[in-house]
Amino acid sequence: MRKNPTATLSGRLIIYFLIVMLVPFILFVSYTLINYDRGIENATRAQAESALEADAEMIASVIQEYRHKAYTLSSSEIINEVLEANNPDITAASLNRIYEDMYVTMAGDTYKATASIVSVTGDVRISTHNFPSVYDLRMHSNEWDSSNIITIASRRSGSDRASVISIEDHRIEGGRQVLISILRRTFSESGRLTGYVIIDIMSDTIIPEVNESSLFTDVVLIDTGTFSAVSLIHPQRYGDFSEFPFLTDGSRDIYRAAIEGTDLELAAASLTPLLRENFRTWTLILAVSLIIGIAISIILSFIFSRSISK
């Protein structure tokens, strides 16, 4: 039986068209896949880890700066005198010296942080800004307010003279949100607790410096002691881990960095899943392009084989 030359030619043309189209296409796709798996994702992870470490170092530096300022104020002779005396008249007579110490220590921090001092009874209350009502011990003992750093300090074990750092308080003061609070206790020479020095660091001091690399969808500041957290990208989101499901889903795209000298750490959700999803999209586009290319090859082979056979 004689073979149809048109059919034979058509088959050959299909094969030739497919070879011309598929060989460079397969080489390109293979190179892209290998390059992505071995290079792009690894580079993204390394860059993300480095960026989060830099954010953690920045926050540690800010905390250390204000921790030192809290120590400086708690060591002030005049502040210790008025807190121990716990007498409004003595306080009024010493206000100029107190404010001088406070404003010298907190110079340049008008929009970054506030410093407040309060005696154990609440009769002495002074702040570089409006005195926060949550620290007014005349009104209540703060035992009901679990977010108040005075309450937190009274519940935590450890040295009474060590700084206490908390991210529990998210109140708005003067239109700015409190992000981190640092407390130091003051004592008389006999060792009696006389009062507290509290510095509230505002969110605007830290948040604009976080995620400058734009590698993360969210960066969360975590207190590993209380398991509370606050978002540094969306500061209106805070609470326990239920507010941040990505913290507990076991994803390999979560990065963590400890903040030195504290019980705080950063956790960040990477953009890698989005990049991976984009890669899948491009893979789908390439697959569709391949199918279209094969269809065009078949159509062209029939057209050319018919024209040649004529």
Side-chain angles (χ1 to χ4, degrees):
M1 184 176 180
R2 187 178 180 183
K3 294 183 179 180
N4 187 339
T6 302
T8 303
L9 182 60
S10 175
R12 289 179 180 178
L13 286 173
I14 290 175
I15 293 172
Y16 296 154
F17 273 117
L18 289 177
I19 291 174
V20 170
M21 182 190 71
L22 287 179
V23 170
F25 182 85
I26 291 173
L27 289 175
F28 172 75
V29 171
S30 300
Y31 172 80
T32 303
L33 287 170
I34 294 171
N35 192 46
Y36 176 82
D37 288 338
R38 296 181 180 179
I40 296 176
E41 187 165 1
N42 290 338
T44 301
R45 290 187 64 82
Q47 189 177 2
E49 290 171 357
S50 177
L52 193 64
E53 286 288 347
D55 287 342
E57 290 174 4
M58 178 272 295
I59 294 174
S61 176
V62 171
I63 290 175
Q64 183 58 32
E65 176 187 352
Y66 287 105
R67 179 187 272 171
H68 178 71
K69 291 185 177 186
Y71 170 78
T72 300
L73 292 175
S74 69
S75 302
S76 166
E77 180 179 349
I78 186 60
I79 288 176
N80 276 280
E81 285 179 5
V82 298
L83 290 178
E84 183 174 359
N86 197 27
N87 185 312
D89 293 332
I90 296 176
T91 301
S94 306
L95 273 180
N96 287 340
R97 293 175 59 195
I98 295 171
Y99 277 126
E100 182 179 354
D101 272 12
M102 294 183 75
Y103 283 117
V104 166
T105 301
M106 301 296 291
D109 291 324
T110 303
Y111 301 106
K112 295 180 178 180
T114 66
S116 305
I117 63 173
V118 58
S119 63
V120 289
T121 63
D123 291 329
V124 176
R125 305 170 310 283
I126 304 172
S127 178
T128 53
H129 296 63
N130 292 328
F131 186 83
S133 59
V134 295
Y135 301 145
D136 190 345
L137 300 180
R138 299 172 307 162
M139 308 299 293
H140 49 74
S141 65
N142 287 318
E143 293 178 356
W144 56 272
D145 188 356
S146 60
S147 67
N148 191 297
I149 194 169
I150 297 177
T151 304
I152 294 170
S154 67
R155 292 177 178 174
R156 289 188 179 179
S157 59
S159 172
D160 287 342
R161 297 182 185 273
S163 299
V164 176
I165 300 172
S166 171
I167 61 169
E168 299 285 338
D169 198 347
H170 308 283
R171 71 182 188 280
I172 305 297
E173 291 286 347
R176 293 168 295 148
Q177 182 177 337
V178 174
L179 182 64
I180 301 172
S181 297
I182 301 174
L183 175 146
R184 284 192 69 92
R185 302 175 181 88
T186 59
F187 299 88
S188 65
E189 290 185 359
S190 63
R192 177 176 58 86
L193 178 66
T194 58
Y196 306 95
V197 172
I198 306 167
I199 291 182
D200 291 318
I201 304 172
M202 301 303 169
S203 60
D204 289 344
T205 307
I206 291 176
I207 287 178
E209 307 297 324
V210 172
N211 195 31
E212 289 188 328
S213 60
S214 300
L215 288 173
F216 307 111
T217 56
D218 203 357
V219 179
V220 177
L221 181 62
I222 300 172
D223 188 327
T224 58
T226 61
F227 300 103
S228 58
V230 56
S231 170
L232 300 183
I233 305 297
H234 313 286
Q236 69 278 6
R237 290 180 57 201
Y238 52 82
D240 58 25
F241 287 0
S242 64
E243 294 290 331
F244 307 96
F246 75 87
L247 292 176
T248 55
D249 65 7
S251 170
R252 62 189 289 267
D253 299 309
I254 304 303
Y255 301 86
R256 294 179 182 270
I259 297 175
E260 185 178 359
T262 73
D263 291 329
L264 306 178
E265 72 172 17
L266 290 180
S270 172
L271 283 171
T272 302
L274 297 180
L275 296 175
R276 194 177 295 121
E277 186 63 32
N278 287 337
F279 181 76
R280 292 194 186 104
T281 301
W282 279 107
T283 302
L284 179 61
I285 291 173
L286 290 174
V288 172
S289 300
L290 176 60
I291 293 172
I292 293 173
I294 292 173
I296 292 174
S297 297
I298 294 172
I299 294 170
L300 289 176
S301 66
F302 278 115
I303 293 173
F304 282 114
S305 64
R306 286 182 177 278
S307 63
I308 291 173
S309 63
K310 290 179 180 180

